[in-house]
Amino acid sequence: MPLRAYINGKEFISIDLPDDEWNNLKTELKSKKSVLTLPCCGQEGYLRISRKGLKHFVHSKSACPCDWKPESPEHLKAKVAIIEACRESGWEAVPEFSENDWRADVLAVQGRKRIAFEVQWSRQSYEETRYRQARYKESNVRGCWFFRIPSKEMTDYDKSLVADKDIPAFKIYKDEHSDIIAQVGQRQMPLKALAAELLNRKLKFCQHIRSKPKQEATILFFEYECWKCKKPQYCYTVYPKFHTVCDKEQKMTRNMWNDDDIDKSQQIQIAVQQFLDSDKGKDIKVGPIKRRYSRTVQESYLSHGCYYCDAIFGDSYLSESKSYVHYDWETEGQSDKYIQHTVEVDLGEVVEEWPHWCFSEDGHFCE
């Protein structure tokens, strides 16, 4: 169901036509005063309005049928959203544009820049996607894909799309209001909004993630018994989820047997001590972080220890308890089994490899 056609040699975009002009053209075509041809094949067609009220063009029956494949109402709605995003972002939008051996759902043009937007509401193999993307590249066109059902080669273990600079691709779906929604990582937005973000350079492929320098850290105090003197006391851990500069959730890597773990950082130690000196924390017994000798690794490292006998709480044993606290805190909706203290920390430059599409309103990306 094309959105573009020629009537007496003049190009028309169906969604641009007001009702009166649409009706006049329909009358002219019926009376044979005008002829409508479709750019995909040069054959004749006619006007039609879908049950949802979308104006479009249709191929007439012919002895030489066009290879144009039928499009679903969702596919058409997605194309309209992309066209509107292009125009509102200062780009020319040409639906069903053909060149050489490719045809784009919508071609966005701004000066010498060209972007082909493709909507795949039905399945398409990875090999076909790569082939078509290569055709765009040969024509100096950047291809961008929106998949309802991406191929397994393009998805991760949780069926999310893997970010790929060579084949920009995003998942789309229809919500309960029949609107077309796009997904970028954990962020969801109307397809029109995502297309606009791409055109306005608010999305960029980044190979790494970078944490926000300053953000809140949640310190959780949990009950713990000393393996040596058997006295009950508390230990603590920082809930490991922070945010990147593009507001993506970042889980901090835990480091055992060295000084780099966030639980042992100087900022967290100071925050813990300030809490223990306050009225709220004055009755909580927590051993200090300091360098202790470990028989397990046969060297000394910064470690938690017993408040009473100073026995080392080895990282290999304590990490299991901390992992349980993190899981419990997350799944139980911030369980009241733990004492919580929130403090702002400066993480500095924490950079990890994590290919993703980075979103930024102000142009500050992860890299």
Side-chain angles (χ1 to χ4, degrees):
M1 293 184 280
L3 301 177
R4 186 167 67 102
Y6 291 98
I7 300 178
N8 296 338
K10 182 181 177 181
E11 183 180 81
F12 287 88
I13 306 297
S14 62
I15 59 175
D16 293 338
L17 293 168
D19 290 345
D20 55 348
E21 188 173 356
W22 178 266
N23 292 330
N24 288 338
L25 288 172
K26 197 169 186 178
T27 301
E28 289 183 11
L29 291 171
K30 272 190 175 182
S31 63
K32 306 295 183 181
K33 291 181 180 179
S34 298
V35 177
L36 183 151
T37 57
L38 296 160
C40 53
C41 57
Q43 298 187 58
E44 289 190 27
Y46 58 95
L47 284 65
R48 188 167 69 185
I49 299 178
S50 72
R51 285 180 293 178
K52 297 287 186 179
L54 180 65
K55 299 182 178 79
H56 60 280
F57 306 111
V58 183
H59 290 78
S60 299
K61 291 183 179 180
S62 169
C64 302
C66 178
D67 64 353
W68 188 280
K69 295 180 176 61
E71 295 175 334
S72 66
E74 292 82 8
H75 194 143
L76 279 171
K77 195 169 187 177
K79 288 201 297 187
V80 171
I82 295 167
I83 292 170
E84 291 174 349
C86 291
R87 291 174 173 176
E88 292 174 16
S89 300
W91 291 63
E92 180 187 358
V94 186
E96 298 110 27
F97 183 89
S98 298
E99 183 177 292
N100 299 331
D101 56 353
W102 56 264
R103 180 168 61 208
D105 279 330
V106 179
L107 184 72
V109 182
Q110 188 182 70
R112 298 178 66 180
K113 295 181 289 186
R114 300 197 299 172
I115 301 174
F117 287 106
E118 285 288 356
V119 178
Q120 283 300 136
W121 201 255
S122 56
R123 293 181 183 273
Q124 177 172 275
S125 70
Y126 180 55
E127 291 74 19
E128 179 68 11
T129 301
R130 290 184 60 188
Y131 172 80
R132 294 176 66 184
Q133 188 75 351
R135 301 288 76 76
Y136 289 136
K137 189 174 181 180
E138 289 173 3
S139 298
N140 198 29
V141 173
R142 183 76 162 146
C144 180
W145 298 81
F146 300 109
F147 289 100
R148 183 175 71 95
I149 310 173
S151 60
K152 62 181 181 181
E153 292 89 346
M154 302 178 72
T155 58
D156 211 338
Y157 68 93
D158 59 355
K159 296 187 179 180
S160 62
L161 267 167
V162 176
D164 185 344
K165 186 178 182 179
D166 294 329
I167 306 180
F170 307 93
K171 287 188 76 171
I172 56 173
Y173 64 92
K174 183 173 70 172
D175 68 6
E176 64 273 17
H177 305 295
S178 294
D179 294 323
I180 308 300
I181 305 298
Q183 185 164 341
V184 186
Q186 298 169 338
R187 186 187 297 269
Q188 296 176 337
M189 64 183 78
L191 174 58
K192 179 180 174 180
L194 175 58
E197 304 291 16
L198 286 162
L199 293 167
N200 291 313
R201 294 188 165 187
K202 292 184 179 179
L203 270 176
K204 176 185 176 182
F205 176 83
C206 292
Q207 189 66 34
H208 298 83
I209 53 172
R210 178 163 54 92
S211 62
K212 287 181 181 177
K214 289 186 178 181
Q215 50 189 301
E216 286 190 341
T218 301
I219 305 171
L220 302 172
F221 296 86
F222 59 96
E223 295 178 354
Y224 198 73
E225 183 182 278
C226 176
W227 61 271
K228 189 173 183 181
C229 70
K230 306 301 181 184
K231 290 186 177 180
Q233 55 201 279
Y234 281 85
C235 197
Y236 72 84
T237 182
V238 176
Y239 184 62
K241 290 189 178 179
F242 292 88
H243 289 87
T244 67
V245 295
C246 61
D247 210 31
K248 194 176 183 70
E249 196 172 83
Q250 177 185 16
K251 190 170 184 178
M252 303 296 285
T253 303
R254 313 307 304 208
N255 298 296
M256 292 195 296
W257 309 308
N258 60 40
D259 302 350
D260 297 330
D261 191 271
I262 190 170
D263 287 355
K264 304 171 187 177
S265 73
Q266 192 66 31
Q267 286 189 77
I268 297 301
Q269 290 187 60
I270 292 171
V272 168
Q273 191 56 54
Q274 289 174 343
F275 176 71
L276 297 177
D277 292 338
S278 69
D279 289 339
K280 188 176 179 181
K282 63 182 180 181
D283 297 325
I284 300 174
K285 306 302 182 186
V286 178
I289 296 283
K290 68 179 187 179
R291 199 166 295 279
R292 297 177 178 86
Y293 182 79
S294 167
R295 291 182 181 178
T296 302
V297 297
Q298 298 185 348
E299 62 179 27
S300 297
Y301 63 87
L302 280 181
S303 61
H304 296 268
C306 180
Y307 176 85
Y308 298 99
C309 71
D310 202 40
I312 185 173
F313 292 166
D315 280 0
S316 57
Y317 295 100
L318 195 56
S319 63
E320 185 177 346
S321 296
K322 289 183 177 183
S323 295
Y324 177 79
V325 172
H326 299 156
Y327 177 80
D328 200 29
W329 178 259
E330 187 170 288
T331 58
E332 294 295 325
Q334 302 186 2
S335 173
D336 57 6
K337 291 188 291 185
Y338 310 112
I339 299 170
Q340 172 193 353
H341 178 55
T342 302
V343 62
E344 186 177 74
V345 295
D346 188 343
L347 298 173
E349 289 288 317
V350 180
V351 179
E352 297 179 8
E353 185 168 358
W354 187 352
H356 68 290
W357 287 99
C358 191
F359 174 82
S360 175
E361 284 280 3
D362 56 8
H364 289 91
F365 297 99
C366 284
E367 59 181 35

